[in-house]
Amino acid sequence: MVMKEEKKEDTLILAIESSCDETAAAIVKNGREVLSNIISSQIDIHKLYGGVVPEIASRKHMERINYVMAEALSTALVGIEEVDAIAVTYGPGLVGAAAFAAKKPLIPVHHIEGHISANYIEYKELEPPFLCLVVSGGHTHLVIVNDYGDYKVIGRTRDDAAGEAFDKVARAIGLGYPGGPKLQKLAEEGNEDAIDFPRASIADAPYDFSFSGVKSAVLNYINACNMKGIEINRADIAASFQKAVVSVLVSHAILAAKEYHFDKLALAGGVASNTQLRLSMQKACEKEDISFYCPSPILCTDNAAMIGAAAYYEFLKNRRAGWDLNAVPNQKLGEKVFL
Ligand code: KG4
Ligand code: ZN
């Protein structure tokens, strides 16, 4: 057993991602090479309800997990016996079951750590330390990545996450779920300077965010127009809202990069697939002589490959969890569960 591990050169990790509205599995080689990346989306189901319904999501995950795992293995042309470890996000339900069934070591990965690690797949040469802005449906975090698995959160949202604000505003202007990509599309037809929506800063916490103000401002604007009988221009609202959010994300991230003297800045999370955010951040980084990193959109939104990338570095450090690892909701980055 030990001999086999010593002789083997490559580390193959089967990673499973089951948070939010997708069930996904991937095979990742040595943390950076994606051999397969299978995503089974539940968007069509949740669309019917206008958002994610947790009970339905967890039942669907259980139904689909075997299928996506088999698909990930066969697409990668890898047998389960060749897999060195199984990586999972902390999440409700199926944690541990897959690794137990296959008698493989289990590596728990924090969801945010997974998002950050998507950058390692896109940029084979990228190594810590760097600064990372993680923007998803549940989180808006400015994170110093000191080393693999070593993080310091220096800023976070005080209320809504960036993606949550996108989704809520999208809903308010009649766009369906998921709102972020639809809002981006509509914004392309609008004038981003049409409406001056607020850009919030927090006096004593320059790296923290707040998006409930801009969200309320959009809702108030729509109400005011309705009361006055003025027809709203949805594309202008979308473009102006997007500009307000992007400008805050960029200015905070650049401020932190300068303050902490980082010459590498990375984006991560579902909102990082937003074209305007990518372009603005890239431009700002160029101006400040900072190298900019951003995974391809498919690696920004939830996927299992990013979990496999993060798990590889944990695997190298010999970190394992028991097969009975239970779901630990709302766990903070850095407070990990290991044996
Ligand atoms: O990381 P992710 O896939 O799931 C979470 O961990 O939350 O992020 C999903 C979020 C949703 O709020 C979605 O609307 C947003 O990312 N999103 C976008 C775009 N694509 C996804 N927001 C703005 N523009 C986009 N193109
Ligand atoms: Zn996510």
Side-chain angles (χ1 to χ4, degrees):
M1 192 70 182
V2 174
M3 290 293 291
K4 188 183 162 224
E5 281 200 357
E6 276 174 2
K7 261 194 264 167
K8 217 171 150 232
E9 289 162 27
D10 294 324
T11 300
L12 292 177
I13 290 178
L14 166 60
I16 299 161
E17 219 292 326
S18 63
S19 62
C20 202
D21 55 3
E22 280 154 359
T23 314
I27 304 287
V28 178
K29 187 163 117 184
N30 300 331
R32 306 248 176 180
E33 197 182 327
V34 181
L35 303 188
S36 64
N37 191 18
I38 309 296
I39 300 172
S40 169
S41 169
Q42 298 185 9
I43 282 176
D44 286 345
I45 300 159
H46 297 300
K47 236 187 205 163
L48 300 174
Y49 303 92
V52 175
V53 182
E55 292 76 24
I56 296 177
S58 94
R59 204 172 65 227
K60 287 287 161 198
H61 286 315
M62 298 306 275
E63 281 171 28
R64 292 186 187 190
I65 193 67
N66 282 333
Y67 162 77
V68 294
M69 276 169 58
E71 201 60 20
L73 286 164
S74 70
T75 306
L77 300 176
V78 166
I80 185 75
E81 68 286 351
E82 297 171 76
V83 167
D84 295 281
I86 294 181
V88 292
T89 28
Y90 309 139
L94 52 94
V95 178
F100 179 74
K103 302 275 181 293
K104 298 284 182 184
L106 178 65
I107 304 174
V109 174
H110 192 287
H111 186 72
I112 298 297
E113 184 177 24
H115 274 304
I116 294 168
S117 304
N119 281 285
Y120 299 137
I121 297 171
E122 193 74 42
Y123 303 97
K124 311 292 180 210
E125 76 290 355
L126 175 64
E127 307 249 14
F130 58 91
L131 183 68
C132 188
L133 173 67
V134 188
V135 271
S136 72
H139 298 82
T140 307
H141 276 16
L142 253 175
V143 182
I144 292 177
V145 182
N146 287 312
D147 201 349
Y148 300 106
D150 180 359
Y151 309 97
K152 185 171 180 218
V153 179
I154 57 166
R156 64 180 76 229
T157 183
R158 297 285 180 98
D159 38 61
D160 293 353
E164 195 179 350
F166 266 95
D167 293 336
K168 286 178 179 167
V169 167
R171 189 192 276 229
I173 56 175
L175 301 172
Y177 171 87
K182 289 192 172 167
L183 192 143
Q184 173 185 315
K185 189 138 199 310
L186 182 62
E188 285 163 16
E189 298 160 25
N191 172 8
E192 62 177 18
D193 298 315
I195 311 149
D196 193 18
F197 289 127
R199 291 137 170 80
S201 280
I202 291 145
D204 54 345
Y207 312 125
D208 277 359
F209 301 92
S210 166
F211 294 109
S212 68
V214 62
K215 176 197 66 189
S216 305
V218 172
L219 300 181
N220 291 341
Y221 176 84
I222 295 171
N223 283 339
C225 288
N226 287 343
M227 292 203 357
K228 289 183 210 151
I230 303 168
E231 199 178 322
I232 59 164
N233 183 325
R234 294 157 72 237
D236 282 355
I237 295 176
S240 302
F241 162 78
Q242 180 174 260
K243 186 178 185 183
V245 171
V246 164
S247 103
V248 168
L249 291 173
V250 171
S251 64
H252 283 39
I254 296 289
L255 182 69
K258 283 165 69 175
E259 195 67 29
Y260 286 87
H261 305 292
F262 278 104
D263 59 0
K264 291 188 263 183
L265 175 57
L267 271 182
V271 182
S273 57
N274 183 276
T275 313
Q276 284 311 314
L277 175 59
R278 297 164 82 96
L279 289 174
S280 289
M281 197 70 93
Q282 162 112 49
K283 232 195 239 164
C285 282
E286 270 167 22
K287 207 168 137 221
E288 300 295 338
D289 232 357
I290 297 167
S291 304
F292 175 60
Y293 301 86
C294 191
S296 322
I298 188 72
L299 292 170
C300 288
T301 44
D302 286 350
N303 66 87
M306 67 187 198
I307 304 301
Y312 174 69
Y313 295 98
E314 303 293 346
F315 184 83
L316 292 184
K317 289 181 196 157
N318 241 343
R319 290 188 177 153
R320 309 284 185 270
W323 284 326
D324 61 348
L325 172 80
N326 267 317
V328 188
N330 298 324
Q331 192 153 23
K332 293 207 182 86
L333 197 58
E335 295 173 10
K336 299 186 196 158
V337 184
F338 297 117
L339 268 187

